Amino acid sequence: MKFMKLGSKPDTIQSDGNNARYVASELATDITVTVGDVKFYLHKFPLLSKSAYLQKLVASGNEENNDEIQISDIPGGPVAFEICAKFCYGMTVTLNAYNVVAARCAAEYLGMHETIEKGNLVYKIDVFLNSSIFHSWKDSIIVLQTSKSMLPLSEELKVVGLCIDAIATKACIDVSKVDWSYTYNRRKVPEENGNDLNCNGFRNRPVPKDWWVEDLCELEIDLYKRVIMNIKTKGILSHEVIGEALKAYSYRRLPGFSKGVIRSGDVIKYRSTVDTIVWLLPAEKGSVSCSFLLKLLKAAIIVDLGEMAREQLVRRIGQQLEEASVNDLSIRAADGEDVVYDVDTVQKIVKEFLMQDQNAEFESEDNEVQEIRRPGILTDASKLMVAKLIDAYLAEIAKDPNLPLSKFVDLAEMVSCISRPSHDGLYRAIDMYLKEHPGISKSERKRICKLMDCKKLSVDACMHAVQNERLPLRVVVQVLFFEQVRATASSGSSSPDLPRGLKDLNIGSHGSSRSAATHPEEDWDAVATAEELKALKGEIAALRMSNSIGGSERNGGDSRNSVDKVAICKMKGLLKSKRIFSKIWSSKGAQGENSGSDSSESLGSANPEEAKSTPSRNRRHSVS
């Protein structure tokens, strides 16, 4: 720390222990200055020779009481006045980063300018600030902190502005020129991990670009805001470094921020902090991580930040949603809500993400309309990542016993437009919801299962589904049939068409108004009984055997018809229950021409054209 000594005489101002200060001198004191609750017994000549304010007070006082002066509002109080008094006596005064602002403001208050005497205190302090303090990184930060208690005078004297500019200038300096100490504890460098045998290797460490961000965390939010704005104005540092600074400040100044909460405390203060950080965010995409933005959003909700700031965060999060994790998206609902999670906010975020695909501009050139794609257009990879993220998020919120089915379905349908090769994640979420909400109706169970495409379930998911007592029997049979289709395709034979009875079953899963009225399907929408699942489970191994049957049929006669016969026979074997058997085949002829119009919409529907695809395309997943 830099310091400056003024005067050469020994310090002879002493205290009697009872809030009284006096000068040890042979001359009797002739003036008493009361500052706050402290009395100073001093001499007029040294004081009046350097202070215009004291001259005025003494001159304006009456003759009977001009040796007693009351000063109640001097900046810095008794401590700062004592520094000024010692300077008047020529005593040694030590100035440093902690007391220089108070001394400067007190000297200004007392009018200790060059017009009164050459080399007065104001001049000497200004020289010390400009030649020493503002050249020191940590001293500048300390001075800026102490200047807050001296407002508004420290602002009027430009001490605050000069400090801010000095700090910002040093933060923007080339890292190769940084040769002063700074605080950097966020990431351990190799030397700190014991990988460097050089004990004095500090000077050999590369200086990180964000070397300055931790030291600025000591500043209050209003001063911090001004420093960051000054840094941004200079346009030297990248937006990623600015983002790193805001992240470090948030973690330091918002208790519990790293866990997505704000601990009890001064809500107004925290609201101001969150609002300022949101306002300071660089406009460039990727300047801060999506995880950090979601933590900011959670904090904004907790401190009840304004709607405009929240919308800004939702928009920013939506632009880089593919970076998020389920834990990031787990925004707790407000106190008093029945549900655990704030699903509505997540829906807004997903909407912002999907809107990026609509941000295409069109330009006319030579009477032809051409599409101009901007950088924000989504890639297939980012869309797939978001679809998987939402599937996992649905599995998490499904554990909430109070979550309405509509919120689950609405969110799932938002990403249904994103084609993904596997629906295992969605199946897991649906199964979790059915597990936690056993009391939902048949129609609700049917509605949630319609979200899933049975053709896109992996072998493991199929194995689980055909033994799942929570699924409607319709879904179990469909899963089993498509597993048979996949097994047949993998054997090299043509994939069988969906038997007409199961086609009619698929029609009913969506339920056209005509077929539903003629053939009610409560049996199919009910969950499978233990006896029925046992029969299905017993046939899983038999389905594997169908490969060899299909292979032998391929070498003689119409292989396609043979495989169809195998599949239908297997289905008949599975459907041992009298009510199920009669249901499938009674609907076979009654549906008539309705099957062609509705089958494409049904849960896990099998398009005959898709079923005719080559074995290589159906080996693992059917084409969506």
Side-chain angles (χ1 to χ4, degrees):
M1 178 183 293
K2 303 293 181 65
F3 62 92
M4 179 181 185
K5 288 188 176 182
L6 302 176
S8 57
K9 297 180 181 179
D11 183 358
T12 56
I13 293 184
Q14 302 174 0
S15 172
D16 65 355
N18 294 315
N19 291 334
R21 306 284 191 276
Y22 60 93
V23 177
S25 172
E26 297 178 355
L27 297 175
T29 59
D30 55 4
I31 186 171
T32 302
V33 182
T34 303
V35 182
D37 59 352
V38 179
K39 289 182 178 293
F40 292 86
Y41 299 93
L42 306 171
H43 302 86
K44 289 181 181 179
F45 177 74
L47 295 180
L48 301 186
S49 65
K50 290 182 172 61
S51 173
Y53 180 73
L54 292 178
Q55 289 178 12
K56 181 180 178 181
L57 285 182
V58 171
S60 62
N62 55 54
E63 295 182 0
E64 297 178 357
N65 200 29
N66 65 354
D67 58 346
E68 290 188 12
I69 298 174
Q70 188 83 22
I71 302 176
S72 58
D73 56 350
I74 184 172
V79 175
F81 178 80
E82 185 170 337
I83 291 174
C84 295
K86 289 179 178 180
F87 177 81
C88 292
Y89 278 91
M91 299 177 186
T92 301
V93 177
T94 301
L95 295 178
N96 55 47
Y98 290 99
N99 64 12
V100 67
V101 178
R104 175 64 179 87
C105 292
E108 184 71 24
Y109 179 92
L110 294 172
M112 302 176 72
H113 297 283
E114 293 293 282
T115 54
I116 303 301
E117 183 177 273
K118 276 287 187 181
N120 213 338
L121 186 56
V122 168
Y123 169 77
K124 290 187 177 293
I125 292 179
D126 284 345
V127 170
F128 177 55
L129 287 170
N130 289 294
S131 65
S132 182
I133 292 295
F134 295 151
H135 287 270
S136 169
W137 168 250
K138 292 203 171 181
D139 283 353
S140 296
I141 294 174
I142 294 170
V143 167
L144 185 57
Q145 287 176 293
T146 60
S147 67
K148 188 170 184 179
S149 61
M150 299 292 123
L151 293 173
L153 186 55
S154 59
E155 189 76 66
E156 296 171 5
L157 298 176
K158 300 182 180 180
V159 173
V160 176
L162 290 171
C163 255
I164 289 173
D165 190 63
I167 293 170
T169 299
K170 281 194 170 293
C172 294
I173 200 170
D174 190 290
V175 293
S176 63
K177 298 179 181 179
V178 176
D179 57 359
W180 50 83
S181 64
Y182 55 86
T183 305
Y184 198 84
N185 295 320
R186 285 167 297 118
R187 294 189 295 269
K188 286 189 175 183
V189 294
E191 294 88 338
E192 294 169 323
N193 288 327
N195 297 332
D196 192 346
L197 300 178
N198 182 8
C199 298
N200 298 318
F202 177 80
R203 295 183 182 277
N204 295 326
R205 297 176 186 172
V207 177
K209 292 181 179 180
D210 58 347
W211 62 267
W212 50 272
V213 304
E214 279 195 65
D215 286 323
L216 292 196
C217 292
E218 302 297 330
L219 298 175
E220 293 296 328
I221 188 62
D222 51 346
L223 294 174
Y224 182 81
K225 176 182 178 180
R226 293 177 61 180
V227 173
I228 296 297
M229 287 175 60
N230 194 305
I231 291 174
K232 292 173 72 174
T233 301
K234 294 182 184 298
I236 298 175
L237 295 180
S238 67
H239 54 266
E240 290 90 354
V241 175
I242 302 295
E244 188 64 30
L246 297 175
K247 177 182 175 182
Y249 192 86
S250 301
Y251 276 71
R252 175 77 68 86
R253 289 288 179 167
L254 297 171
F257 181 83
S258 61
K259 298 180 180 179
V261 298
I262 299 293
R263 294 174 189 156
S264 58
D266 189 346
V267 175
I268 296 176
K269 176 183 176 182
Y270 293 151
R271 183 184 300 139
S272 174
T273 300
V274 175
D275 189 34
T276 300
I277 292 171
V278 172
W279 190 84
L280 288 172
L281 286 173
E284 293 82 0
K285 179 181 177 181
S287 56
V288 292
S289 68
C290 188
S291 177
F292 174 68
L293 289 172
L294 279 159
K295 287 183 174 65
L296 265 184
L297 180 59
K298 293 174 185 178
I301 294 172
I302 293 172
V303 301
D304 196 22
L305 201 59
E307 193 66 28
M308 185 176 297
R310 292 197 214 182
E311 290 176 357
Q312 179 185 344
L313 286 172
V314 167
R315 186 163 52 253
R316 294 284 299 267
I317 293 166
Q319 292 174 357
Q320 48 194 103
L321 182 57
E322 64 273 17
E323 302 172 13
S325 67
V326 174
N327 186 56
D328 294 331
L329 277 184
S330 300
I331 304 171
R332 307 291 291 190
D335 293 339
E337 295 283 343
D338 293 333
V339 295
V340 177
Y341 298 106
D342 185 356
V343 183
D344 293 338
T345 297
V346 175
Q347 286 181 323
K348 293 178 183 177
I349 294 172
V350 175
K351 181 179 179 181
E352 288 290 339
F353 172 81
L354 296 174
M355 282 178 62
Q356 294 178 89
D357 249 0
Q358 303 172 11
N359 289 341
E361 296 178 348
F362 294 87
E363 186 178 276
S364 178
E365 182 177 337
D366 298 332
N367 297 324
E368 293 184 3
V369 177
Q370 295 182 343
E371 183 179 359
I372 308 298
R373 288 189 172 269
R374 299 192 307 202
I377 298 301
L378 299 175
T379 64
D380 291 339
S382 64
K383 288 191 284 189
L384 183 58
M385 290 172 68
V386 168
K388 291 181 177 180
L389 171 66
I390 297 304
D391 287 348
Y393 176 74
L394 287 169
E396 179 63 28
I397 64 175
K399 300 173 185 177
D400 178 8
N402 295 322
L403 179 69
L405 178 68
S406 59
K407 287 187 180 293
F408 183 100
V409 172
D410 290 347
L411 181 56
E413 288 179 341
M414 290 185 75
V415 295
S416 62
C417 60
I418 301 176
S419 177
R420 44 203 191 273
S422 172
H423 273 204
D424 285 13
L426 184 56
Y427 167 68
R428 191 177 299 109
I430 291 171
D431 183 48
M432 181 61 69
Y433 191 90
L434 295 176
K435 178 181 178 181
E436 297 296 332
H437 303 79
I440 64 174
S441 66
K442 293 179 182 178
S443 61
E444 290 175 324
R445 196 177 297 270
K446 177 180 176 181
R447 182 185 178 192
I448 194 173
C449 287
K450 281 168 60 178
L451 297 168
M452 176 178 58
D453 187 345
C454 297
K455 298 191 301 295
K456 294 188 176 183
L457 295 181
S458 67
V459 175
D460 291 339
C462 287
M463 292 287 287
H464 185 277
V466 297
Q467 303 174 73
N468 192 339
E469 298 180 1
R470 293 182 283 272
L471 293 178
L473 185 58
R474 177 196 311 278
V475 177
V476 176
V477 173
Q478 288 172 337
V479 169
L480 200 52
F481 176 78
F482 289 120
E483 177 65 9
Q484 164 66 10
V485 171
R486 179 160 44 201
T488 304
S490 66
S491 69
S493 62
S494 300
S495 299
D497 282 335
L498 189 64
R500 181 56 178 269
L502 290 179
K503 280 187 181 179
D504 295 338
L505 169 60
N506 283 333
I507 297 166
S509 69
H510 241 317
S512 67
S513 59
R514 289 180 292 170
S515 62
T518 308
H519 300 284
E521 300 180 327
E522 289 85 354
D523 290 345
W524 282 110
D525 293 328
V527 295
T529 64
E531 180 183 352
E532 291 160 351
L533 283 176
K534 184 177 181 181
L536 293 172
K537 183 178 180 181
E539 288 294 333
I540 294 175
L543 280 174
R544 307 292 183 188
M545 298 292 294
S546 65
N547 293 348
S548 59
I549 298 175
S552 62
E553 293 288 347
R554 187 167 58 248
N555 297 323
D558 187 350
S559 61
R560 183 175 183 78
N561 292 336
S562 300
V563 174
D564 285 354
K565 290 177 182 179
V566 173
I568 294 172
C569 289
K570 287 298 177 184
M571 290 300 104
K572 287 181 179 180
L574 294 175
L575 305 173
K576 295 180 179 180
S577 170
K578 183 177 181 180
R579 64 180 178 85
I580 300 173
F581 182 85
S582 61
K583 176 61 192 170
I584 293 180
W585 305 112
S586 65
S587 64
K588 180 176 180 181
Q591 294 285 345
E593 297 301 323
N594 293 340
S595 60
S597 61
D598 292 338
S599 61
S600 62
E601 299 176 352
S602 64
L603 166 65
S605 62
N607 190 325
E609 292 300 319
E610 291 178 350
K612 294 178 183 178
S613 59
T614 61
S616 62
R617 293 173 61 189
N618 284 283
R619 187 171 302 277
R620 180 64 180 167
H621 300 293
S622 60
V623 179
S624 59

